[in-house]
Amino acid sequence: MFVNLSRLGKSGTGMWQYSQKFVGAIHALGKLDGIICAEPHKNHFSTYGCEIITVPEWVANTSNISRLRPLLWFVYSQWLALRLMFKLNGKQVVSTTHHALPLLRNQVITIHDLRPF
């Protein structure tokens, strides 16, 4: 299983805590094959000893707020999904945020809050 943390954001938030515990639980079960994360988070998640696929900081959710970032992510996620299609070889991808990777079939997305809907 690959865990998609590419749009996780800064550490210390509730989403960060949830994702950290989720990755720890999957690792403890021996099911963690890899993590997709932002470049600044690579060192933190490399402690799990699995494959790390990094996403450039200019598309990841970081402390820098930009109206352009969602558009950049949309374009970049298409390329990332094509790259991962061959690398994943049918393994499941779990996103701990609501940011899915397009074109991938075997994927689970976490939705934390439905109040806006």
Side-chain angles (χ1 to χ4, degrees), residues 2 5 7-8 10 15 21-22 24 31 36-37 39 41 45 55 74-75 77-78 84 93-94 98 108 111 113-114 117:
F2 277 74
L5 305 174
R7 301 271 295 169
L8 184 56
K10 60 183 179 179
M15 192 80 67
K21 289 178 182 178
F22 181 83
K31 305 262 183 195
I36 305 162
C37 68
E39 185 69 39
H41 299 152
F45 291 113
V55 173
F74 177 75
V75 173
S77 65
Q78 306 289 322
L84 290 174
V93 175
V94 177
H98 63 279
V108 175
I111 299 174
D113 191 359
L114 293 173
F117 297 106

Side-chain angles (χ1 to χ4, degrees), residues 42-115:
K42 181 180 180 178
N43 290 337
H44 178 76
F45 291 113
S46 64
T47 59
Y48 290 104
C50 62
E51 183 177 358
I52 304 289
I53 299 169
T54 59
V55 173
E57 188 174 4
W58 53 268
V59 294
N61 266 357
T62 59
S63 58
N64 299 335
I65 297 173
S66 168
R67 292 180 188 211
L68 186 59
R69 195 177 307 263
L71 295 173
L72 293 172
W73 169 251
F74 177 75
V75 173
Y76 184 84
S77 65
Q78 306 289 322
W79 179 84
L80 179 62
L82 288 172
R83 185 177 135 202
L84 290 174
M85 276 181 165
F86 302 103
K87 188 176 209 68
L88 296 178
N89 200 18
K91 293 182 180 166
Q92 188 173 34
V93 175
V94 177
S95 296
T96 60
T97 66
H98 63 279
H99 299 284
L101 294 171
L103 310 173
L104 298 180
R105 291 185 177 176
N106 199 9
Q107 186 171 190
V108 175
I109 303 162
T110 306
I111 299 174
H112 293 274
D113 191 359
L114 293 173
R115 283 185 290 169

